[in-house]
Amino acid sequence: MTDIPQDHPRYLSLLTRERIVEGVKVGITSMQGLIAQGRGECFDYLLGEKTHQFATESERVAAAMLILAEHPIISVNGNTAALVPEQMIRLSEIVSASLEVNLFHRTDERVNRIIDHLMNNGASEVLGGKGDANLPLSHARGIVDKNGIFSADVVLVPLEDGDRCETLVGMGKKVITIDLNPLSRTSRTATVSIVDNVVRALDVIADAALGMQDWDREQLVKLVESYDNKVNLKMSLDAINENLRNMANEVL
Ligand code: ATP
Ligand code: MG
């Protein structure tokens, strides 16, 4: 990895890039993953590269929803495997969710490489290698494990594809997404859309879940029911608008 000076003003963003590039080099991340990261970075820039209050709110609701779930799954793709393996494993342990590899550009080799990568980072089990069930989709993200995403009631899908998000919601599942683009089809169709960078969001969800360990079911249900995803998405767009307005005023 290239050495990035820690005092660089955009240290974290550059470090994230290095991780994704490394992921491509070792065959975990696809080339297309680089483009996805670029689109995400653009929206993060517009959001001021921070976790806003509306994101913390959806992250708390996500935590409650995962705790309440009977069969929660965290879906892993090539970007998240390269960027946040430890955070995904930590969250999966705190909320008792299984990890499942699910790829758009799927090859058995890449699936196995990601499974090995997660196991090397401390995961005790990773699904996705069987691929013995199909979602009604014409591309490889439809290939899932029967005892995993196929039968899940709540699925957390960081960096989801819009098509699959719609399909999962159509199957009656609750879908939590992490996507910096509030305009993507993913964000517009998810049950809970977290507009935040995945490198910040996962630990916020995990910490929120830890803080809810003593909560009873009723409190958790109340939090989930009080949440309105459309209102939350509007707040993210308002934040981008306000940020742009402030920046425009600074220019002139
Ligand atoms: P959709 O199919 O939902 O309309 P898309 O086709 O624009 O979305 P994809 O290529 O399917 O996008 O997935 C990439 C998405 O992931 C983008 O919307 C991008 O904003 C988001 N993204 C990329 N990197 C990150 C990151 N580090 N954190 C959060 N979101 C990210
Ligand atoms: Mg897409």
Side-chain angles (χ1 to χ4, degrees), residues 39 104 160-163 185-186:
R39 178 176 288 171
F104 191 86
E160 176 57 337
D161 177 81
D163 284 0
R185 282 175 311 138
T186 300

Side-chain angles (χ1 to χ4, degrees), residues 31-95:
M31 296 279 267
Q32 290 83 350
L34 298 173
I35 300 170
Q37 171 67 20
R39 178 176 288 171
E41 278 182 12
C42 175
F43 280 96
D44 210 10
Y45 213 105
L46 296 176
L47 285 159
E49 294 176 313
K50 64 172 186 189
T51 300
H52 288 259
Q53 182 54 41
F54 59 78
T56 312
E57 192 193 325
S58 45
E59 283 152 358
R60 281 171 57 75
V61 171
M65 213 174 244
L66 285 165
I67 296 172
L68 284 168
E70 266 169 41
H71 186 23
I73 300 277
I74 300 174
S75 181
V76 179
N77 77 352
N79 283 45
T80 51
L83 288 178
V84 282
E86 301 96 341
Q87 290 96 318
M88 284 188 297
I89 294 164
R90 176 173 177 248
L91 177 62
S92 75
E93 284 167 358
I94 293 172
V95 300

